[in-house]
Amino acid sequence: MINVQAIALFDDLIEKSKIYKTTNSGSSFTALGALAGGSTGVVAIGLTAADANYIYCAKQDKFYVSTNGGTSFTDRTNGLPVSSASITYIAVSNTDKNKVWVTFSGYSNNNKVFFSNNAGQNWSNVSGGLPNVPANCIVYTNNSSVNSLYCGTD
């Protein structure tokens, strides 16, 4: 099981461009795999207790997943509205490593929350009922049998 504090961002030449992992309570850190592309530094990280090898992370316009503990990351941005909104937050189920939710900032109507049940291979827009204001964060209710979520907006 990954301790949330075991993954960290450090400023690399001003931007948060790399993710680091520690296995010794922070005595030392190791840089994880490269995050190709994107126009910003890393803005969000999502972890799951279901599988310590799954690490989700995002830049404002790119979404990535690692299934090997961070050795490498796969771009899973396809299907997300990154041309009209910026990624702000990631939530992951604590019981299913493949269930992930992403929130979006901006005033792009109906582009607030997207869900994947296969680690970002496919995305569904689940923004229905949310106002057209930036969605800044999302939290998954652990052990929820009905995928209970809380979404924070402006």
Side-chain angles (χ1 to χ4, degrees):
M1 180 183 294
I2 278 188
N3 178 335
V4 174
Q5 296 176 353
I7 303 292
L9 292 173
F10 290 109
D11 287 339
D12 291 308
L13 302 175
I14 301 175
E15 288 190 35
K16 298 174 202 127
S17 58
K18 292 183 182 176
I19 298 176
Y20 293 81
K21 178 164 66 173
T22 183
T23 56
N24 56 18
S25 300
S27 294
S28 62
F29 288 85
T30 304
L32 300 184
L35 302 172
S39 61
T40 67
V42 176
V43 296
I45 298 174
L47 306 174
T48 176
D51 189 333
N53 287 311
Y54 273 63
I55 301 170
Y56 295 93
C57 64
K59 297 180 180 180
Q60 287 181 349
D61 58 353
K62 287 285 186 180
F63 183 87
Y64 309 90
V65 63
S66 174
T67 59
N68 56 18
T71 301
S72 62
F73 287 85
T74 302
D75 183 344
R76 296 278 171 83
T77 308
N78 192 35
L80 294 174
V82 294
S83 64
S84 62
S86 297
I87 296 172
T88 55
Y89 212 84
I90 300 169
V92 188
S93 166
N94 70 313
T95 58
D96 186 337
K97 63 189 177 191
N98 294 302
K99 288 185 176 181
V100 59
W101 294 261
V102 179
T103 57
F104 288 86
S105 184
Y107 295 92
S108 178
N109 200 23
N110 274 337
N111 288 328
K112 305 304 169 196
V113 181
F114 279 69
F115 166 72
S116 175
N117 64 3
N118 56 14
Q121 293 180 46
N122 302 99
W123 293 99
S124 299
N125 187 340
V126 293
S127 304
L130 291 175
N132 188 18
V133 296
N136 301 312
C137 59
I138 190 163
V139 177
Y140 174 81
T141 303
N142 285 345
N143 304 315
S144 171
S145 61
V146 292
N147 295 327
S148 294
L149 301 161
Y150 295 92
C151 183
T153 65
D154 276 2

